[in-house]
Structures are given as structure tokens and as C-alpha cells.
Amino acid sequence: MQHYMQMRMITTRELLGRMHYSLVPSERDFMVDACDALYRRAHSRFNRHKHCEDILEEGGIELLLDVIKLWTQDEVMVRAAVRALTPLAKDTGDEAEHILELGGRAIMDEIQQLHRQDNDVLKECKQLLNVLTKKGSAIAVKEMRKLMVAMDYIKNQTLINNLLGKEHGAMSVADEVKEELKPHLEDDGEKAAKMKHGDEHDMLTWLYTLDYQKVTVTIAAHMSRYHSELSVQEAGCEAWQEYAATATDLRPVLTSGGCGAVVKALEKFKAKRRLVWKVTP
């Protein structure tokens, strides 16, 4: 009760600041109450979006995932943290995408396996996963359509590289940019992921770092992850169509599992004509 009264008197940003300093086993009781306080603010009818923005900007999503990792075996703590993530994922901002980028889906799968006998934990995980699947599938469709637009550029860069003769040491502008960015992409995965969503300069950088292998792996991964979502399977099949029409190298389709993804989509949605016609000659 003491924690509850104290938390009501401070702002969301101040609360998160205290939580960051309390991420130790000895502060377990405070962190349970703090997670509940975040849930109430993110779920509130008043200023809900503002609270969600503050939580996102102050690293609240990373913090809640760290809480789950630190107290993985503690069902009370896990339930409180997952419960706080759900209204954040439902918000209209980038919260759901950020949770996915940080590996939230894999963490939920692990928690469900560890606490498979706890119906309360399973219920909270299922609610969060439902939101992530719905929003994540929309994000996946958007990204695959962006890749479809980029395929023509990749084709041109491939032809330029072949014309220059890379085996003799010549490099295109795209290859020069890749070499320059390589250390940063390896050191900061989150920064690399954000390149997809930045301003025009970041979009150009993202385009320069694309190749056929990245395109095929991304499409196949989305189709596998959202295998029950018709919209994702449709977009994936359209992307494979575009790839087949424009690509100069079909080997990445085989190595990334693209053929298998199409077969599974047909098996799952064989009664959906709008998907079937996209993958049949």
C-alpha cells in the first residue's frame, strides 16, 4: 500500500526512473507494484496515449522485458510485467513493433513453456501474443511491399556490379556504403533495424544495404511467423511473384526456404482464390 500511494504522486517518467534503479532481486516487491502502476497508466481512459509515449521514450518496454528475464521463474512478477506490456502493444504508436524488434515474441514463447501449468500467466501471454500477431502481421505486409519496390533497384545494382567486375576490385556506390556501415550494423542491431523507418537519408541507407539474400530471408521469415494470417501469405506470394519477374539470381529463394513457404501457404489457404491465383502459372 505504501508503494501504491507513493507511485500515484509521481509522473510516469519518474516512476520509470526509479524502476531502472531497482532492477535487482532485493527490490522484487517494489517492481511488482511498479509494473501494476504502469499497467494502470497505459490502460487508463485518461491520457493513455501520453502515458504510453512516455513509457516508450523512457525505455519502459526494454525495462519490462528485462524484468521478465530477471524474474523468469517468478510467476507473480512475470504476470505483472506481461500484463503491463499488453496495453502498450495495443496503443497506436510504434510500441508493438518495438516489442517485436526486441524479441518479445520469443520471450513470450519461453514464458509459456516455463509456466505452462499457470493459467493466469498463460492467459496474459496469450493476450499479448494476440495483439503482437495482429499488429505484427500488418507490419510484415508493409515491409514486404517495401521490399517489392526495392527489388528493381537491387537488380540494377547487381547488373552494375557485374558490369564493373567486382572480382577486379571495382565497387558500386551501394557496395561502398555497405562497407562503410558494416561495423555499425554489427555493433548496433537496434540502430540497424531502425534504418527501415527513418527519414529519406536512412531510407536510402537501408536501400543500399539490401541484397537478394536479405530480401528472400525476410519474406520467408514473415510467411513462417504469420503462417495463419491470410494478408501476410498474400503479400508474401506477391513478393515471390515480383522476385521471379525481376531477380537475376533465383538461388536465394531455394536457400531461404521460399519454395516451402509458398507450398505451406497453398496448403493452408487452398480455398482462397485470391491467394491461389498468385502462385499458380
Side-chain angles (χ1 to χ4, degrees):
M1 179 62 72
Q2 182 182 1
H3 288 156
Y4 174 75
M5 295 304 297
Q6 290 176 348
M7 290 173 193
R8 293 198 62 178
M9 303 299 293
I10 61 177
T11 67
T12 300
R13 293 180 184 273
E14 290 173 332
L15 173 60
L16 285 163
R18 294 189 186 185
M19 291 178 71
H20 279 292
Y21 284 109
S22 302
L23 197 62
V24 290
S26 60
E27 294 293 330
R28 184 260 185 194
D29 291 343
F30 167 78
M31 293 298 284
V32 170
D33 291 340
C35 287
D36 287 338
L38 286 182
Y39 166 76
R40 287 191 294 272
R41 296 182 188 208
H43 194 66
S44 171
R45 293 184 179 181
F46 305 101
N47 294 324
R48 182 177 69 85
H49 184 63
K50 178 64 168 64
H51 287 311
C52 290
E53 282 185 341
D54 289 345
I55 293 171
L56 179 64
E57 291 173 4
E58 293 297 319
I61 291 175
E62 291 89 341
L63 176 63
L64 288 169
L65 292 175
D66 286 340
V67 167
I68 295 172
K69 293 174 185 177
L70 180 59
W71 284 283
T72 302
Q73 303 290 340
D74 188 330
E75 65 275 6
V76 175
M77 178 64 81
V78 167
R79 185 168 64 247
V82 174
R83 188 167 178 251
L85 283 169
T86 302
L88 289 170
K90 289 180 179 179
D91 195 50
T92 56
D94 296 329
E95 293 88 346
E97 185 171 2
H98 195 48
I99 294 172
L100 289 168
E101 287 177 350
L102 294 171
R105 181 181 296 277
I107 294 173
M108 290 305 103
D109 290 340
E110 180 184 351
I111 292 301
Q112 287 185 110
Q113 182 64 26
L114 286 172
H115 298 278
R116 55 185 177 275
Q117 303 299 327
D118 191 317
N119 291 331
D120 291 332
V121 171
L122 292 178
K123 178 183 176 182
E124 296 297 340
C125 288
K126 183 178 180 180
Q127 289 180 349
L128 177 57
L129 283 171
N130 286 341
V131 177
L132 292 179
T133 298
K134 183 178 179 180
K135 289 206 167 186
S137 62
I139 294 168
V141 170
K142 181 179 178 182
E143 183 171 8
M144 285 191 287
R145 297 204 184 285
K146 191 162 64 173
L147 288 173
M148 289 168 62
V149 175
M151 284 182 198
D152 202 43
Y153 166 82
I154 299 173
K155 175 184 176 180
N156 292 336
Q157 283 299 317
T158 303
L159 293 174
I160 291 172
N161 288 335
N162 293 337
L163 182 64
L164 288 174
K166 289 176 68 175
E167 64 275 10
H168 300 300
M171 296 178 69
S172 66
V173 175
D175 283 333
E176 291 175 358
V177 172
K178 286 181 185 179
E179 288 299 315
E180 182 181 343
L181 290 174
K182 191 174 181 180
H184 303 291
L185 296 177
E186 292 175 350
D187 295 340
D188 194 342
E190 184 177 343
K191 181 178 179 181
K194 287 182 180 178
M195 286 185 178
K196 303 193 301 292
H197 312 290
D199 55 22
E200 291 182 5
H201 179 268
D202 287 336
M203 285 293 292
L204 188 60
T205 302
W206 168 78
L207 193 60
Y208 277 146
T209 59
L210 275 181
D211 56 33
Y212 282 137
Q213 187 64 32
K214 286 184 180 180
V215 168
T216 56
V217 167
T218 301
I219 296 170
H222 284 323
M223 292 184 72
S224 175
R225 179 172 297 161
Y226 303 104
H227 57 87
S228 297
E229 298 295 316
L230 177 59
S231 61
V232 175
Q233 300 305 310
E234 280 190 276
C237 290
E238 288 178 20
W240 292 129
Q241 264 192 332
E242 183 67 21
Y243 189 94
T246 62
T248 59
D249 186 1
L250 296 179
R251 287 172 296 179
V253 178
L254 301 175
T255 59
S256 67
C259 296
V262 172
V263 171
K264 290 179 181 177
L266 281 172
E267 290 176 347
K268 179 74 175 178
F269 299 104
K270 54 187 175 185
K272 302 294 183 181
R273 293 184 180 180
R274 66 187 197 188
L275 181 142
V276 173
W277 75 265
K278 294 175 182 176
V279 293
T280 53

